[in-house]
Amino acid sequence: MTAQILDGKAFSARIRDRVAAHVARLRSEHDLVPGLAVVLVGEDPASQVYVRSKHRQTVEAGMASFEHRLPDDTTEADLLNLVHQLNNDPQVHGILVQLPLPVHMNASAVIDAISPDKDVDGFHVSNVGLLGTGQNSMVPCTPLGCLLMLREHLGDMSGLNAVVLGRSNIVGKPMAQLLLNENCTVTIAHSRTRDLPEVLRRADILVAAVGRPRMVQGDWIKPGATVIDVGINRIPEGEKTRLVGDVDFDAANEVAGAITPVPGGVGPMTIACLLANTVTACCRTNGLPLPEGLTV
Ligand code: NDP
């Protein structure tokens, strides 16, 4: 038997529809237009693609999009000034500073200058602390997307063994925290983990966020497990390149109960969750009920 494919493209379209419906209600009932400001410093080609995509999807959802493109040699002080302006701008409900920043800037200082209420990436230390203590917070977009997919597929996850492979601040750690909040028994594996295949074989839910193409083998997966592959790795194929995940998809597909493909799994969920977080931020700021199915 092959695994059920968890279609992130279709699910993210449903999330964007929910966002757009909520935005339409905010506009008509409260005269409010959720606004997202995205700041890009420098010319990194991948970041330019992400920022374009974020702008397009924000506008398509009926929200206001404010783009700020700054040259590579912008000083940290100038960037912090812009962040302060956006913090004080009532039309802006969400602020995202596209990473990576140029090396002369201290990314933590910039992220922590963003008002926690507008920190739609969920990277501010206050939001990390709120998530860690099980309180309402802005949740980082990629783990939020993974969790929404898991909830949709599994419903109640209470008591399940979840293994998160990777312990980065943007994916692994918040993902583990979210699964803990869902009452899973959570293990975080990383580069120093001993007997990794054996640890992974215990997972009813496996989230791979390691950045190593097809590292997770079929026989590392518990039969029937739900596998979420966060990895986005570009590998050469003949004259061209192709995207693969951190999981050997063909092998895992024979063992897992359900699996996200790459591309078309977690990837499309990330921007959809950025839009969802912007609506959540707008509602919180204005003391309005949060949109259903878009938060945790
Ligand atoms: P990082 O490089 O920040 O973290 C990778 C983690 O994997 C680290 O914790 C590292 O362990 C661990 N690791 C590395 N090698 C091994 C190994 N051989 N065995 C066990 N663990 C290992 O990556 P990110 O979390 O930022 O990203 C992970 C992947 O997810 C990447 O492919 C990235 O492109 C993708 N991604 C996708 C997104 C999306 O929208 N779908 C968004 C963000 C990321 P240690 O801490 O010990 O070094």
Side-chain angles (χ1 to χ4, degrees):
M1 251 209 9
T2 54
Q4 179 182 342
I5 303 299
L6 301 177
D7 182 347
K9 217 170 151 191
F11 189 47
S12 68
R14 294 205 292 282
I15 297 283
R16 287 198 305 274
D17 285 347
R18 275 183 223 165
V19 167
H22 207 83
V23 170
R25 269 202 300 282
L26 288 172
R27 278 171 170 268
S28 66
E29 293 171 18
H30 302 281
D31 204 18
L32 271 173
V33 182
L36 173 64
V38 175
V39 180
L40 174 62
V41 186
E43 307 282 329
D44 179 64
S47 293
Q48 306 232 17
V49 173
Y50 291 137
V51 167
R52 264 201 302 278
S53 196
K54 284 167 187 171
H55 169 75
R56 183 175 46 77
Q57 294 191 34
T58 304
V59 172
E60 279 171 8
M63 302 199 274
S65 169
F66 308 96
E67 254 187 66
H68 296 268
R69 290 171 179 264
L70 306 178
D72 204 29
D73 59 359
T74 302
T75 63
E76 188 176 313
D78 282 345
L79 177 57
L80 289 172
N81 267 337
L82 173 60
V83 168
H84 290 309
Q85 274 174 41
L86 297 172
N87 282 343
N88 292 319
D89 185 340
Q91 288 185 302
V92 171
H93 302 95
I95 302 170
L96 181 147
V97 176
Q98 185 68 43
L99 301 176
L101 285 170
V103 286
H104 66 276
M105 290 193 184
N106 177 348
S108 301
V110 173
I111 288 164
D112 287 339
I114 297 172
S115 160
D117 297 337
K118 297 190 178 189
D119 167 40
V120 280
D121 250 344
F123 296 162
H124 191 289
V125 71
S126 299
N127 282 314
V128 175
L130 288 168
L131 179 63
T133 48
Q135 301 180 68
N136 284 338
S137 66
M138 297 306 304
V139 177
C141 302
T142 300
L144 175 59
C146 296
L147 191 79
L148 294 178
M149 289 181 97
L150 283 166
R151 273 191 183 168
E152 168 97 349
H153 176 62
L154 291 171
D156 183 12
M157 287 173 253
S158 192
L160 295 180
N161 283 334
V163 177
V164 179
L165 176 56
R167 56 174 166 176
S168 70
N169 290 337
I170 61 167
V171 189
K173 283 183 198 154
M175 188 71 238
Q177 193 60 56
L178 287 170
L179 290 164
L180 193 58
N181 293 352
E182 296 288 313
N183 299 314
C184 292
T185 303
V186 181
T187 304
I188 305 178
H190 47 77
S191 67
R192 309 294 176 90
T193 298
R194 291 188 190 161
D195 203 358
L196 187 65
E198 200 46 53
V199 172
L200 266 52
R201 269 182 216 120
R202 292 202 290 266
D204 301 306
I205 296 169
L206 171 60
V207 180
V210 75
R212 307 226 175 252
R214 295 175 175 147
M215 180 181 139
V216 176
Q217 305 294 300
D219 66 355
W220 300 8
I221 293 169
K222 180 176 178 176
T226 303
V227 177
I228 305 289
D229 190 351
V230 182
I232 301 179
N233 309 290
R234 195 167 281 286
I235 59 163
E237 192 175 67
E239 304 273 286
K240 297 189 178 160
T241 60
R242 68 177 288 211
L243 291 183
V244 297
D246 291 341
V247 177
D248 180 343
F249 181 87
D250 292 338
N253 195 23
E254 301 294 320
V255 188
I259 186 167
T260 57
V262 178
V266 174
M269 290 298 293
T270 299
I271 298 185
C273 287
L274 172 67
L275 306 182
N277 276 350
T278 306
V279 174
T280 298
C282 177
C283 292
R284 281 209 185 115
T285 304
N286 290 283
L288 295 169
L290 299 186
E292 261 180 51
L294 299 178
T295 50
V296 290

